[in-house]
Amino acid sequence: MITEATKERFAREVAKYPADQKQSAVMACLSIVQQEQGWVSAESEAVIAEFLGMAEIAVHEVTTFYNMYNQRPTGTYKLNVCTNLPCQLRDGYKALHHLESRLGIKMGETTPDGMFTLQQSECLGACADSPVMLVNDRCMCSFMSNEKLDELIDGLRAAEGKA
Ligand code: FES
């Protein structure tokens, strides 16, 4: 549910653009919803569409174009492994497959304890550091050998008291 406080945050984003270009704030509004709720539901898209005077499908097109917007709830830690071509050539898939086997899930799935969601990602702009990944859309991890991936998973589990 989108609260009045959330709509006030939307309004602050809208105020950054000319009055006849409210829809320029669509990405910011989607980010606010994701920050607050962890994902962007169709209901949230509808509220944003109405707030910005856009068609719901136009908001949905933005949500689905950028893979950092979650279209369903994710685990506590969303792990996005880059598998674009430069990373593919330098062990991107090896890293993804290692995580699949380590976590016991396939790409796109969430572990049964709700801790990890594993996804592929588009180029993260750090091809020379491959394999690279992003944790929760914020923390970039470079040169992710199988050993470093194991350390990361162990560290996150320990931080959650699930080691
Ligand atoms: S292709 Fe993976 S970071 Fe560029």
Side-chain angles (χ1 to χ4, degrees):
M1 182 184 133
I2 304 289
T3 64
E4 286 310 308
T6 303
K7 286 185 180 174
E8 281 170 26
R9 293 186 69 192
F10 290 172
R12 282 198 289 279
E13 296 302 324
V14 168
K16 296 175 183 173
Y17 299 97
D20 62 344
Q21 291 174 35
K22 285 166 59 169
Q23 57 187 280
S24 298
V26 65
M27 291 182 69
C29 293
L30 288 167
S31 296
I32 289 168
V33 168
Q34 182 154 305
Q35 239 174 46
E36 294 185 356
Q37 302 184 11
W39 67 295
V40 180
S41 65
E43 292 73 25
S44 297
E45 288 177 344
V47 173
I48 292 171
E50 189 182 354
F51 195 89
L52 299 178
M54 297 171 68
E56 286 178 32
I57 187 65
V59 176
H60 189 62
E61 283 169 357
V62 178
T63 311
T64 51
F65 182 81
Y66 295 101
N67 82 346
M68 286 170 88
Y69 293 123
N70 304 326
Q71 294 172 60
R72 62 187 65 83
T74 64
T76 308
Y77 296 99
K78 184 173 79 169
L79 309 177
N80 275 38
V81 180
C82 179
T83 53
N84 262 202
L85 186 58
C87 280
Q88 267 186 48
L89 297 173
R90 293 188 59 199
D91 292 341
Y93 269 114
K94 185 176 153 200
L96 180 68
H97 293 147
H98 182 73
L99 284 172
E100 283 181 330
S101 119
R102 178 70 207 268
L103 298 173
I105 55 174
K106 290 288 175 204
M107 190 268 296
E109 295 179 345
T110 298
T111 52
D113 63 359
M115 262 204 74
F116 297 103
T117 295
L118 185 58
Q119 297 181 340
Q120 284 179 295
S121 90
E122 299 301 327
C123 178
L124 295 168
C127 318
D129 295 355
S130 179
V132 293
M133 60 185 291
L134 205 53
V135 179
N136 284 350
D137 301 326
R138 292 285 185 279
C139 180
M140 176 83 97
C141 303
S142 298
F143 305 110
M144 295 307 285
S145 62
N146 288 354
E147 295 71 31
K148 284 182 76 175
L149 290 168
D150 288 340
E151 278 172 26
L152 176 72
I153 298 301
D154 291 341
L156 293 174
R157 281 202 193 283
E160 297 291 323
K162 292 184 178 178

